[in-house]
Amino acid sequence: MREILQAALEELFGPGEILALRRLPGGASKEAWALDYQTGKEALPLFLRRAGGGVIYAGTLPLAQEFRLLQIAHAHGVKVPRPLHYFPDLEGREAFLMERLEGESIGARIVRRPEYARVRERLPEAMAQELAAIHAIPLSEVGFLPFPSQPPWQEALDLAYGDLDALDEPHPALEWGLRWLSQNPPPPRPPVLVHGDFRIGNLLVTPEELVAVLDWEFAHIGDPREDLAWPLVRAWRFGEDRKRLGGIGEVGPFLERYNALTGRGIAEGELFWWEVLGNVRWGLGALKQARRHLKGEERSVELAVLGRLAAEMEYEILDLLERHG
Protein backbone atom coordinates (compact mmCIF):
# COMPACT_ATOMS: atom_id res chain seq x y z
CA MET A 1 0.00 0.00 0.00
CA ARG A 2 2.87 2.35 0.78
CA GLU A 3 4.27 2.04 -2.76
CA ILE A 4 0.90 2.87 -4.37
CA LEU A 5 0.43 5.81 -2.05
CA GLN A 6 3.94 7.05 -2.72
CA ALA A 7 3.31 7.16 -6.48
CA ALA A 8 0.02 9.03 -6.04
CA LEU A 9 1.53 11.52 -3.61
CA GLU A 10 4.43 12.28 -5.92
CA GLU A 11 1.93 13.01 -8.70
CA LEU A 12 -0.10 15.28 -6.41
CA PHE A 13 2.63 17.10 -4.52
CA GLY A 14 5.95 16.30 -6.19
CA PRO A 15 8.90 14.26 -4.91
CA GLY A 16 8.81 13.47 -1.23
CA GLU A 17 8.68 10.79 1.43
CA ILE A 18 5.96 9.16 3.51
CA LEU A 19 7.02 9.81 7.07
CA ALA A 20 4.26 7.93 8.84
CA LEU A 21 1.37 5.66 7.92
CA ARG A 22 -0.81 4.33 10.74
CA ARG A 23 -4.28 2.89 11.01
CA LEU A 24 -6.59 4.73 13.38
CA PRO A 25 -9.00 3.00 15.77
CA GLY A 26 -12.76 3.09 15.24
CA GLY A 27 -14.77 2.99 12.06
CA ALA A 28 -17.42 0.28 12.00
CA SER A 29 -17.45 -0.13 8.21
CA LYS A 30 -14.47 1.84 6.84
CA GLU A 31 -10.76 1.85 7.61
CA ALA A 32 -9.15 5.14 8.58
CA TRP A 33 -5.44 5.82 8.10
CA ALA A 34 -3.37 8.85 8.99
CA LEU A 35 -0.26 9.61 6.98
CA ASP A 36 2.29 12.40 6.73
CA TYR A 37 4.07 13.23 3.50
CA GLN A 38 7.27 15.22 3.56
CA THR A 39 7.89 17.33 0.49
CA GLY A 40 10.74 19.81 0.72
CA LYS A 41 10.52 21.49 4.11
CA GLU A 42 6.78 20.90 4.44
CA ALA A 43 5.09 17.89 6.09
CA LEU A 44 1.56 17.44 4.75
CA PRO A 45 -1.01 15.84 7.10
CA LEU A 46 -3.27 13.52 5.09
CA PHE A 47 -6.10 11.07 5.75
CA LEU A 48 -6.90 7.85 3.89
CA ARG A 49 -10.40 6.36 3.93
CA ARG A 50 -10.49 2.75 2.74
CA ALA A 51 -13.31 0.25 2.32
CA GLY A 52 -13.65 -2.15 5.24
CA GLY A 53 -15.08 -5.62 5.56
CA GLY A 54 -18.78 -4.81 5.33
CA VAL A 55 -21.51 -2.20 5.39
CA ILE A 56 -24.16 -1.21 7.93
CA TYR A 57 -26.97 -0.40 5.48
CA ALA A 58 -27.72 -1.72 2.01
CA GLY A 59 -27.70 1.81 0.57
CA THR A 60 -24.12 2.56 1.64
CA LEU A 61 -22.32 4.46 -1.12
CA PRO A 62 -19.25 3.09 -2.84
CA LEU A 63 -16.22 5.21 -2.05
CA ALA A 64 -16.08 6.54 -5.62
CA GLN A 65 -19.45 8.24 -5.09
CA GLU A 66 -18.57 9.36 -1.57
CA PHE A 67 -15.42 10.98 -2.98
CA ARG A 68 -17.45 12.71 -5.70
CA LEU A 69 -19.89 14.02 -3.08
CA LEU A 70 -17.00 15.45 -1.07
CA GLN A 71 -15.79 17.27 -4.17
CA ILE A 72 -19.25 18.74 -4.76
CA ALA A 73 -19.79 19.68 -1.11
CA HIS A 74 -16.35 21.29 -0.94
CA ALA A 75 -17.13 23.32 -4.07
CA HIS A 76 -20.35 24.56 -2.44
CA GLY A 77 -18.61 25.76 0.69
CA VAL A 78 -19.65 22.96 3.03
CA LYS A 79 -17.03 22.38 5.71
CA VAL A 80 -15.45 19.11 4.59
CA PRO A 81 -11.84 17.93 4.28
CA ARG A 82 -10.51 18.75 0.82
CA PRO A 83 -10.69 15.56 -1.30
CA LEU A 84 -7.44 14.82 -3.11
CA HIS A 85 -7.32 11.45 -4.88
CA TYR A 86 -9.47 8.34 -5.48
CA PHE A 87 -7.97 4.83 -5.66
CA PRO A 88 -10.12 2.23 -7.47
CA ASP A 89 -7.95 -0.53 -6.03
CA LEU A 90 -5.69 -0.11 -3.03
CA GLU A 91 -4.62 -3.63 -2.07
CA GLY A 92 -7.97 -5.05 -3.15
CA ARG A 93 -10.21 -2.30 -1.80
CA GLU A 94 -11.20 1.13 -3.04
CA ALA A 95 -10.03 4.16 -1.08
CA PHE A 96 -9.60 7.89 -1.29
CA LEU A 97 -7.20 10.44 0.09
CA MET A 98 -8.08 13.79 1.62
CA GLU A 99 -6.51 16.46 3.77
CA ARG A 100 -6.26 15.70 7.50
CA LEU A 101 -7.70 18.44 9.64
CA GLU A 102 -6.99 18.98 13.31
CA GLY A 103 -9.82 18.50 15.77
CA GLU A 104 -11.84 16.05 17.83
CA SER A 105 -14.60 13.78 16.56
CA ILE A 106 -15.10 11.34 19.45
CA GLY A 107 -18.58 12.12 20.72
CA ALA A 108 -18.08 11.28 24.40
CA ARG A 109 -15.22 13.76 24.61
CA ILE A 110 -17.06 16.53 22.79
CA VAL A 111 -20.15 16.36 25.02
CA ARG A 112 -18.29 16.07 28.35
CA ARG A 113 -14.80 17.52 28.41
CA PRO A 114 -14.51 21.05 29.80
CA GLU A 115 -12.23 22.25 27.01
CA TYR A 116 -15.16 21.87 24.57
CA ALA A 117 -17.64 23.86 26.67
CA ARG A 118 -17.36 26.93 24.43
CA VAL A 119 -17.84 25.04 21.16
CA ARG A 120 -20.81 23.16 22.64
CA GLU A 121 -22.57 26.51 22.96
CA ARG A 122 -21.87 27.29 19.30
CA LEU A 123 -22.51 23.87 17.80
CA PRO A 124 -26.33 23.93 17.47
CA GLU A 125 -26.26 26.96 15.15
CA ALA A 126 -23.07 25.79 13.41
CA MET A 127 -24.68 22.40 12.73
CA ALA A 128 -27.77 24.14 11.34
CA GLN A 129 -25.61 26.21 9.02
CA GLU A 130 -23.84 23.17 7.58
CA LEU A 131 -27.09 21.26 7.12
CA ALA A 132 -28.62 24.24 5.35
CA ALA A 133 -25.62 24.32 2.99
CA ILE A 134 -25.83 20.57 2.33
CA HIS A 135 -29.57 20.71 1.65
CA ALA A 136 -29.03 23.62 -0.75
CA ILE A 137 -26.77 21.62 -3.09
CA PRO A 138 -28.68 21.32 -6.40
CA LEU A 139 -29.97 17.82 -7.03
CA SER A 140 -28.88 18.22 -10.65
CA GLU A 141 -25.26 17.98 -9.46
CA VAL A 142 -25.78 14.65 -7.70
CA GLY A 143 -27.52 12.82 -10.52
CA PHE A 144 -25.45 9.70 -9.80
CA LEU A 145 -27.57 9.19 -6.67
CA PRO A 146 -30.88 7.39 -7.32
CA PHE A 147 -34.00 9.50 -7.01
CA PRO A 148 -36.65 7.97 -4.71
CA SER A 149 -39.33 6.08 -6.62
CA GLN A 150 -41.76 6.66 -3.75
CA PRO A 151 -42.03 9.14 -0.85
CA PRO A 152 -38.71 9.21 1.08
CA TRP A 153 -40.42 8.19 4.32
CA GLN A 154 -41.88 5.09 2.64
CA GLU A 155 -38.54 4.18 1.11
CA ALA A 156 -36.81 4.55 4.48
CA LEU A 157 -39.48 2.42 6.13
CA ASP A 158 -39.22 -0.31 3.48
CA LEU A 159 -35.44 -0.46 3.96
CA ALA A 160 -35.89 -0.79 7.72
CA TYR A 161 -38.40 -3.61 7.31
CA GLY A 162 -35.96 -5.34 4.97
CA ASP A 163 -33.18 -5.08 7.54
CA LEU A 164 -35.46 -6.46 10.25
CA ASP A 165 -36.55 -9.40 8.09
CA ALA A 166 -32.92 -10.19 7.28
CA LEU A 167 -32.16 -10.70 10.99
CA ASP A 168 -34.52 -13.69 10.96
CA GLU A 169 -35.26 -13.39 14.67
CA PRO A 170 -37.93 -11.58 16.69
CA HIS A 171 -37.40 -8.07 18.00
CA PRO A 172 -40.86 -6.99 19.20
CA ALA A 173 -39.90 -3.44 20.21
CA LEU A 174 -38.38 -2.75 16.80
CA GLU A 175 -41.43 -4.27 15.13
CA TRP A 176 -43.72 -2.14 17.29
CA GLY A 177 -41.78 0.97 16.30
CA LEU A 178 -42.05 0.12 12.61
CA ARG A 179 -45.77 -0.55 12.96
CA TRP A 180 -46.32 2.86 14.55
CA LEU A 181 -44.28 4.53 11.82
CA SER A 182 -46.27 2.84 9.06
CA GLN A 183 -49.57 3.92 10.67
CA ASN A 184 -48.49 7.54 11.19
CA PRO A 185 -46.75 8.68 7.99
CA PRO A 186 -45.31 12.21 7.95
CA PRO A 187 -46.60 14.94 5.62
CA PRO A 188 -44.48 15.31 2.48
CA ARG A 189 -41.53 17.65 2.04
CA PRO A 190 -39.58 18.34 -1.19
CA PRO A 191 -36.52 16.07 -1.39
CA VAL A 192 -32.97 17.33 -0.87
CA LEU A 193 -29.48 15.89 -0.69
CA VAL A 194 -29.39 14.23 2.74
CA HIS A 195 -26.08 13.58 4.51
CA GLY A 196 -27.56 10.50 6.16
CA ASP A 197 -25.39 10.38 9.29
CA PHE A 198 -25.27 13.98 10.50
CA ARG A 199 -24.53 13.84 14.24
CA ILE A 200 -22.02 14.37 17.00
CA GLY A 201 -19.35 11.79 16.28
CA ASN A 202 -19.27 12.65 12.59
CA LEU A 203 -18.41 16.29 13.18
CA LEU A 204 -14.82 17.42 13.64
CA VAL A 205 -14.51 20.24 16.18
CA THR A 206 -11.90 22.28 17.99
CA PRO A 207 -12.53 24.00 21.33
CA GLU A 208 -13.68 27.03 19.30
CA GLU A 209 -15.54 25.85 16.20
CA LEU A 210 -16.96 23.16 13.95
CA VAL A 211 -14.21 22.27 11.49
CA ALA A 212 -15.70 19.64 9.18
CA VAL A 213 -18.60 17.31 8.44
CA LEU A 214 -17.29 13.76 8.06
CA ASP A 215 -18.45 10.32 6.80
CA TRP A 216 -20.72 10.81 3.79
CA GLU A 217 -21.23 7.10 3.03
CA PHE A 218 -24.99 7.19 3.77
CA ALA A 219 -25.79 10.28 1.68
CA HIS A 220 -28.88 10.03 -0.52
CA ILE A 221 -31.83 11.95 -1.90
CA GLY A 222 -34.41 12.20 0.86
CA ASP A 223 -36.40 14.24 3.33
CA PRO A 224 -34.56 17.14 5.07
CA ARG A 225 -36.19 16.17 8.39
CA GLU A 226 -34.23 12.92 8.34
CA ASP A 227 -30.97 14.86 8.82
CA LEU A 228 -32.54 17.25 11.33
CA ALA A 229 -33.84 14.41 13.52
CA TRP A 230 -30.86 12.04 13.34
CA PRO A 231 -28.77 13.90 15.97
CA LEU A 232 -31.73 13.56 18.36
CA VAL A 233 -31.33 9.76 18.51
CA ARG A 234 -30.40 8.86 22.09
CA ALA A 235 -27.23 6.99 21.12
CA TRP A 236 -25.76 10.21 19.74
CA ARG A 237 -26.09 12.03 23.08
CA PHE A 238 -23.26 9.94 24.53
CA GLY A 239 -24.76 9.82 28.00
CA GLU A 240 -25.86 13.47 28.15
CA ASP A 241 -29.47 12.41 27.72
CA ARG A 242 -31.10 15.61 28.99
CA LYS A 243 -29.65 17.56 26.05
CA ARG A 244 -31.74 16.25 23.16
CA LEU A 245 -29.55 17.65 20.40
CA GLY A 246 -26.59 15.31 20.42
CA GLY A 247 -25.84 15.77 24.12
CA ILE A 248 -24.81 19.40 23.53
CA GLY A 249 -27.98 21.49 23.58
CA GLU A 250 -31.64 21.88 22.75
CA VAL A 251 -33.46 21.48 19.47
CA GLY A 252 -34.99 24.97 19.40
CA PRO A 253 -31.95 27.13 18.48
CA PHE A 254 -30.75 24.48 16.01
CA LEU A 255 -34.06 24.31 14.16
CA GLU A 256 -34.65 28.06 14.35
CA ARG A 257 -31.31 28.77 12.68
CA TYR A 258 -31.93 26.11 10.01
CA ASN A 259 -35.33 27.56 9.19
CA ALA A 260 -33.92 31.09 9.04
CA LEU A 261 -31.33 29.95 6.48
CA THR A 262 -33.62 27.76 4.38
CA GLY A 263 -37.09 29.25 4.78
CA ARG A 264 -38.55 25.76 5.15
CA GLY A 265 -40.48 26.48 8.35
CA ILE A 266 -40.09 22.97 9.79
CA ALA A 267 -41.75 22.64 13.20
CA GLU A 268 -40.09 20.68 16.00
CA GLY A 269 -43.05 18.28 16.12
CA GLU A 270 -42.30 17.23 12.53
CA LEU A 271 -39.05 15.66 13.67
CA PHE A 272 -40.70 13.09 15.97
CA TRP A 273 -41.51 10.55 13.24
CA TRP A 274 -37.93 10.69 12.00
CA GLU A 275 -36.54 10.47 15.54
CA VAL A 276 -38.46 7.22 16.11
CA LEU A 277 -37.24 5.91 12.76
CA GLY A 278 -33.67 6.89 13.65
CA ASN A 279 -33.76 4.84 16.84
CA VAL A 280 -35.21 1.87 14.94
CA ARG A 281 -32.57 2.13 12.22
CA TRP A 282 -29.66 2.37 14.62
CA GLY A 283 -31.02 -0.59 16.61
CA LEU A 284 -31.10 -2.59 13.41
CA GLY A 285 -27.66 -1.32 12.40
CA ALA A 286 -26.15 -2.36 15.73
CA LEU A 287 -27.61 -5.86 15.40
CA LYS A 288 -26.32 -6.19 11.83
CA GLN A 289 -22.83 -5.13 12.84
CA ALA A 290 -22.76 -7.58 15.76
CA ARG A 291 -23.66 -10.40 13.39
CA ARG A 292 -20.60 -9.69 11.29
CA HIS A 293 -18.59 -10.65 14.38
CA LEU A 294 -20.81 -13.57 15.45
CA LYS A 295 -20.75 -15.10 11.96
CA GLY A 296 -16.97 -14.83 11.77
CA GLU A 297 -17.07 -12.39 8.86
CA GLU A 298 -14.98 -9.88 10.80
CA ARG A 299 -13.89 -10.67 14.33
CA SER A 300 -14.01 -7.45 16.29
CA VAL A 301 -14.69 -6.53 19.90
CA GLU A 302 -16.07 -3.21 18.66
CA LEU A 303 -18.64 -4.96 16.46
CA ALA A 304 -19.58 -7.34 19.26
CA VAL A 305 -20.13 -4.46 21.68
CA LEU A 306 -22.41 -2.72 19.17
CA GLY A 307 -24.90 -5.57 19.49
CA ARG A 308 -25.80 -4.68 23.06
CA LEU A 309 -26.79 -1.16 22.01
CA ALA A 310 -29.86 -2.59 20.29
CA ALA A 311 -31.55 -3.12 23.67
CA GLU A 312 -31.03 0.55 24.52
CA MET A 313 -32.61 1.57 21.22
CA GLU A 314 -35.56 -0.74 21.84
CA TYR A 315 -36.14 0.83 25.25
CA GLU A 316 -35.91 4.32 23.76
CA ILE A 317 -38.48 3.48 21.05
CA LEU A 318 -40.98 2.23 23.63
CA ASP A 319 -40.35 5.25 25.86
CA LEU A 320 -40.80 7.72 22.99
CA LEU A 321 -44.08 6.16 21.85
CA GLU A 322 -45.43 5.89 25.38
CA ARG A 323 -44.72 9.57 26.11
CA HIS A 324 -46.11 10.54 22.72
CA GLY A 325 -49.40 8.82 23.54
Side-chain angles (χ1 to χ4, degrees):
M1 186 162 70
R2 185 180 285 263
E3 292 178 1
I4 299 172
L5 287 171
Q6 179 71 37
L9 291 168
E10 288 183 0
E11 184 176 341
L12 283 168
F13 304 112
E17 177 187 5
I18 296 176
L19 299 179
L21 175 62
R22 63 191 184 280
R23 185 172 177 180
L24 304 175
S29 61
K30 297 289 185 296
E31 293 179 1
W33 296 75
L35 64 101
D36 296 292
Y37 185 66
Q38 179 79 43
T39 172
K41 295 182 179 180
E42 185 179 14
L44 303 173
L46 303 170
F47 185 91
L48 181 74
R49 185 163 164 83
R50 182 170 176 256
V55 298
I56 299 177
Y57 299 116
T60 301
L61 296 179
L63 282 182
Q65 291 186 358
E66 187 179 345
F67 180 74
R68 180 66 186 130
L69 273 178
L70 277 178
Q71 291 179 314
I72 294 168
H74 188 267
H76 280 272
V78 180
K79 290 185 176 181
V80 295
R82 183 164 60 95
L84 297 170
H85 186 79
Y86 169 72
F87 299 90
D89 187 341
L90 186 61
E91 287 197 327
R93 298 177 185 176
E94 62 174 341
F96 65 77
L97 192 68
M98 54 186 170
E99 66 177 335
R100 189 174 82 242
L101 301 172
E102 293 300 319
E104 179 62 77
S105 63
I106 296 176
R109 297 176 183 172
I110 294 170
V111 303
R112 292 177 186 164
R113 289 192 174 180
E115 60 265 37
Y116 297 109
R118 185 171 177 83
V119 76
R120 283 195 292 271
E121 296 177 359
R122 299 175 174 179
L123 269 176
E125 293 194 7
M127 290 167 64
Q129 184 166 323
E130 294 310 306
L131 263 191
I134 293 168
H135 293 172
I137 293 174
L139 296 185
S140 59
E141 296 189 24
V142 292
F144 51 88
L145 298 179
F147 201 88
S149 58
Q150 53 187 336
W153 70 265
Q154 184 66 64
E155 190 155 291
L157 198 56
D158 290 348
L159 288 171
Y161 267 115
D163 286 340
L164 178 63
D165 291 342
L167 292 175
D168 198 27
E169 64 183 36
H171 283 276
L174 297 178
E175 293 176 35
W176 180 253
L178 287 169
R179 180 181 177 184
W180 182 90
L181 291 164
S182 66
Q183 293 176 346
N184 297 273
R189 283 277 181 179
V192 299
L193 172 64
V194 171
H195 177 274
D197 201 9
F198 189 86
R199 60 177 177 85
I200 302 298
N202 282 337
L203 303 176
L204 190 68
V205 307
T206 68
E208 296 295 325
E209 63 178 344
L210 191 160
V211 176
V213 180
L214 309 174
D215 292 356
W216 289 66
E217 62 185 321
F218 303 134
H220 58 279
I221 308 302
D223 191 301
R225 294 167 296 188
E226 180 181 348
D227 270 346
L228 289 164
W230 187 241
L232 309 187
V233 171
R234 182 178 289 269
W236 313 137
R237 300 177 203 168
F238 300 97
E240 296 294 322
D241 292 335
R242 291 176 295 176
K243 299 175 181 177
R244 289 189 63 227
L245 180 68
I248 56 147
E250 299 307 319
V251 183
F254 166 66
L255 192 55
E256 182 179 351
R257 179 60 176 159
Y258 175 86
N259 283 328
L261 292 168
T262 65
R264 288 195 169 90
I266 294 174
E268 186 172 336
E270 292 186 60
L271 304 186
F272 182 78
W273 191 94
W274 295 95
E275 181 181 356
V276 174
L277 176 68
N279 281 282
V280 171
R281 291 180 67 184
W282 181 230
L284 291 167
L287 289 167
K288 288 177 66 176
Q289 290 294 75
R291 273 152 183 72
R292 284 170 55 195
H293 168 78
L294 294 172
K295 292 179 179 180
E297 296 172 0
E298 183 179 355
R299 290 295 187 184
S300 163
V301 172
E302 181 184 7
L303 295 181
V305 168
L306 280 175
R308 67 176 289 276
L309 295 179
E312 297 179 17
M313 298 300 97
E314 289 171 331
Y315 180 88
E316 176 71 358
I317 292 160
L318 295 176
D319 186 54
L320 282 171
L321 294 181
E322 181 179 35
R323 287 190 283 116
H324 183 71

